[in-house]
mmCIF file of all heavy atoms in Angstrom:
data_model
loop_
_atom_site.group_PDB
_atom_site.id
_atom_site.type_symbol
_atom_site.label_atom_id
_atom_site.label_comp_id
_atom_site.label_asym_id
_atom_site.label_seq_id
_atom_site.Cartn_x
_atom_site.Cartn_y
_atom_site.Cartn_z
ATOM 1 N N PHE A 1091 -25.958 10.808 -19.886
ATOM 2 C CA PHE A 1091 -25.478 9.498 -20.395
ATOM 3 C C PHE A 1091 -24.439 9.556 -21.522
ATOM 4 O O PHE A 1091 -23.464 8.848 -21.545
ATOM 5 C CB PHE A 1091 -26.710 8.673 -20.780
ATOM 6 C CG PHE A 1091 -26.418 7.310 -21.180
ATOM 7 C CD1 PHE A 1091 -25.967 6.331 -20.338
ATOM 8 C CD2 PHE A 1091 -26.514 6.906 -22.517
ATOM 9 C CE1 PHE A 1091 -25.614 5.035 -20.800
ATOM 10 C CE2 PHE A 1091 -26.241 5.644 -23.025
ATOM 11 C CZ PHE A 1091 -25.741 4.660 -22.064
ATOM 12 N N ARG A 1142 -23.230 -2.223 -32.875
ATOM 13 C CA ARG A 1142 -23.899 -1.943 -31.558
ATOM 14 C C ARG A 1142 -23.226 -2.518 -30.420
ATOM 15 O O ARG A 1142 -23.415 -2.105 -29.331
ATOM 16 C CB ARG A 1142 -25.332 -2.501 -31.703
ATOM 17 C CG ARG A 1142 -25.386 -3.976 -32.079
ATOM 18 C CD ARG A 1142 -26.786 -4.485 -31.990
ATOM 19 N NE ARG A 1142 -27.319 -4.461 -30.612
ATOM 20 C CZ ARG A 1142 -28.359 -5.207 -30.244
ATOM 21 N NH1 ARG A 1142 -29.048 -5.923 -31.168
ATOM 22 N NH2 ARG A 1142 -28.781 -5.225 -29.017
ATOM 23 N N ASP A 1151 -21.883 7.694 -30.928
ATOM 24 C CA ASP A 1151 -23.248 7.844 -31.005
ATOM 25 C C ASP A 1151 -23.754 9.023 -29.935
ATOM 26 O O ASP A 1151 -24.925 9.195 -29.752
ATOM 27 C CB ASP A 1151 -23.974 6.547 -30.508
ATOM 28 C CG ASP A 1151 -23.930 5.541 -31.540
ATOM 29 O OD1 ASP A 1151 -23.514 5.893 -32.650
ATOM 30 O OD2 ASP A 1151 -24.261 4.401 -31.277
ATOM 31 N N GLY A 1154 -26.025 11.537 -31.353
ATOM 32 C CA GLY A 1154 -27.276 10.851 -31.774
ATOM 33 C C GLY A 1154 -28.227 10.520 -30.649
ATOM 34 O O GLY A 1154 -29.478 10.607 -30.780
ATOM 35 N N LEU A 1155 -27.634 10.287 -29.483
ATOM 36 C CA LEU A 1155 -28.344 9.831 -28.277
ATOM 37 C C LEU A 1155 -29.206 11.104 -27.810
ATOM 38 O O LEU A 1155 -30.361 10.916 -27.454
ATOM 39 C CB LEU A 1155 -27.489 9.457 -27.183
ATOM 40 C CG LEU A 1155 -26.959 8.031 -27.234
ATOM 41 C CD1 LEU A 1155 -25.842 7.834 -26.236
ATOM 42 C CD2 LEU A 1155 -28.134 7.055 -27.057
ATOM 43 N N GLY A 1158 -32.042 11.507 -30.394
ATOM 44 C CA GLY A 1158 -32.870 10.278 -30.551
ATOM 45 C C GLY A 1158 -32.567 9.587 -31.827
ATOM 46 O O GLY A 1158 -33.162 8.558 -32.089
ATOM 47 N N ALA A 1159 -31.474 9.963 -32.496
ATOM 48 C CA ALA A 1159 -31.080 9.286 -33.742
ATOM 49 C C ALA A 1159 -30.456 7.966 -33.482
ATOM 50 O O ALA A 1159 -30.408 7.039 -34.297
ATOM 51 C CB ALA A 1159 -30.204 10.127 -34.565
ATOM 52 N N ALA A 1160 -29.891 7.857 -32.223
ATOM 53 C CA ALA A 1160 -29.200 6.569 -31.881
ATOM 54 C C ALA A 1160 -30.064 5.834 -30.909
ATOM 55 O O ALA A 1160 -30.730 6.412 -30.096
ATOM 56 C CB ALA A 1160 -27.758 6.847 -31.313
ATOM 57 N N ASN A 1161 -29.855 4.528 -30.979
ATOM 58 C CA ASN A 1161 -30.654 3.539 -30.135
ATOM 59 C C ASN A 1161 -30.091 3.541 -28.719
ATOM 60 O O ASN A 1161 -28.964 3.042 -28.629
ATOM 61 C CB ASN A 1161 -30.613 2.295 -30.793
ATOM 62 C CG ASN A 1161 -31.612 1.282 -30.063
ATOM 63 O OD1 ASN A 1161 -31.637 1.288 -28.839
ATOM 64 N ND2 ASN A 1161 -32.262 0.388 -30.845
ATOM 65 N N LEU A 1162 -30.837 3.858 -27.798
ATOM 66 C CA LEU A 1162 -30.351 3.905 -26.286
ATOM 67 C C LEU A 1162 -29.937 2.495 -25.898
ATOM 68 O O LEU A 1162 -28.987 2.287 -25.180
ATOM 69 C CB LEU A 1162 -31.370 4.504 -25.460
ATOM 70 C CG LEU A 1162 -30.980 4.608 -23.993
ATOM 71 C CD1 LEU A 1162 -29.871 5.611 -23.856
ATOM 72 C CD2 LEU A 1162 -32.051 5.051 -23.153
ATOM 73 N N HIS A 1163 -30.792 1.537 -26.273
ATOM 74 C CA HIS A 1163 -30.460 0.087 -25.816
ATOM 75 C C HIS A 1163 -29.199 -0.298 -26.312
ATOM 76 O O HIS A 1163 -28.355 -1.018 -25.654
ATOM 77 C CB HIS A 1163 -31.610 -0.857 -26.290
ATOM 78 C CG HIS A 1163 -32.974 -0.611 -25.512
ATOM 79 N ND1 HIS A 1163 -32.935 -0.835 -24.198
ATOM 80 C CD2 HIS A 1163 -34.100 -0.169 -25.908
ATOM 81 C CE1 HIS A 1163 -34.180 -0.481 -23.729
ATOM 82 N NE2 HIS A 1163 -34.864 -0.103 -24.761
ATOM 83 N N HIS A 1164 -28.884 -0.036 -27.627
ATOM 84 C CA HIS A 1164 -27.642 -0.443 -28.186
ATOM 85 C C HIS A 1164 -26.433 0.239 -27.346
ATOM 86 O O HIS A 1164 -25.470 -0.390 -27.156
ATOM 87 C CB HIS A 1164 -27.524 0.012 -29.623
ATOM 88 C CG HIS A 1164 -28.406 -0.848 -30.496
ATOM 89 N ND1 HIS A 1164 -28.360 -0.769 -31.876
ATOM 90 C CD2 HIS A 1164 -29.354 -1.785 -30.250
ATOM 91 C CE1 HIS A 1164 -29.300 -1.534 -32.305
ATOM 92 N NE2 HIS A 1164 -29.927 -2.192 -31.372
ATOM 93 N N ALA A 1165 -26.672 1.492 -27.081
ATOM 94 C CA ALA A 1165 -25.655 2.185 -26.298
ATOM 95 C C ALA A 1165 -25.362 1.526 -24.927
ATOM 96 O O ALA A 1165 -24.236 1.353 -24.565
ATOM 97 C CB ALA A 1165 -26.047 3.633 -26.138
ATOM 98 N N VAL A 1166 -26.502 1.157 -24.342
ATOM 99 C CA VAL A 1166 -26.263 0.536 -23.013
ATOM 100 C C VAL A 1166 -25.537 -0.821 -23.167
ATOM 101 O O VAL A 1166 -24.669 -1.043 -22.274
ATOM 102 C CB VAL A 1166 -27.644 0.308 -22.349
ATOM 103 C CG1 VAL A 1166 -27.473 -0.434 -21.080
ATOM 104 C CG2 VAL A 1166 -28.339 1.619 -21.964
#
Side-chain angles (χ1 to χ4, degrees):
Chain A
F1091 180 67
R1142 56 176 291 196
D1151 289 351
L1155 282 169
N1161 185 323
L1162 183 65
H1163 289 297
H1164 289 187
V1166 172

